Amino acid sequence: MPSEQLDVELEFGENGLIPAVAQDVETGDVLMLVYVSADALAKTQNTGLAHYYSRSRDELWKKGGSSGHVQRVEEIRVDCDGDALLYRIEQEGGACHTGYRSCFYRTLDGETVGEEVFDPDDVYE
């Protein structure tokens, strides 16, 4: 990962956050839609591990901090307007806290189409 210096202008919005899609670099699967603050982006760039901002907990967090299912960031892309990011990542374990490989594991009809890769009861106490 490069240093935290940015060569593009980003629009973090009124709440100081920018949406980011986490995509598996090998398969192209979309794993998560998350939010990133400037601090989270800097930590990601400095460590190579995905850091995000939790709106529900109102805090910065490292993906995999409690589960061990970290995301190694291979590349960060910026959309044309500078108001969304794409994290191309290598996922260890599942991306979703519910135990699935991706947070997008079901259809609007409620059909489960994703792969369950861990039992959240075993991971989160």
Side-chain angles (χ1 to χ4, degrees), residues 79-95:
D79 81 334
C80 57
D81 295 322
D83 63 359
L85 300 173
L86 175 66
Y87 279 32
R88 295 181 37 82
I89 58 102
E90 183 181 307
Q91 177 69 52
E92 281 189 24

Side-chain angles (χ1 to χ4, degrees), residues 12-34:
F12 282 92
E14 293 177 18
N15 60 2
L17 302 175
I18 189 169
V21 172
Q23 178 187 44
D24 187 296
V25 72
E26 294 292 321
T27 66
D29 292 345
V30 172
L31 302 179
M32 301 171 63
L33 171 66
V34 291

Side-chain angles (χ1 to χ4, degrees), residues 94 96-101 115-120 124:
C96 187
H97 71 282
T98 63
Y100 286 85
R101 183 175 181 287
E115 177 186 9
E116 190 170 19
V117 294
F118 71 94
D119 183 345
Y124 306 107

Side-chain angles (χ1 to χ4, degrees), residues 68-79:
H69 300 166
V70 297
Q71 293 177 342
R72 290 179 184 11
V73 179
E74 299 293 324
E75 179 182 40
I76 300 175
R77 295 185 185 178
V78 182
D79 81 334

Side-chain angles (χ1 to χ4, degrees), residues 46-72:
N46 288 331
T47 66
L49 298 174
H51 287 74
Y52 302 119
Y53 191 84
S54 171
R55 296 178 302 160
S56 61
R57 294 188 314 260
D58 195 26
E59 66 183 15
L60 180 80
W61 60 284
K62 180 179 96 175
K63 175 66 179 136
S66 46
S67 69
H69 300 166
V70 297
Q71 293 177 342
R72 290 179 184 11

Side-chain angles (χ1 to χ4, degrees), residues 102-117:
S102 169
C103 292
F104 298 96
Y105 64 89
R106 56 191 172 167
T107 67
L108 276 176
D109 297 331
E111 179 185 359
T112 298
V113 294
E115 177 186 9
E116 190 170 19
V117 294

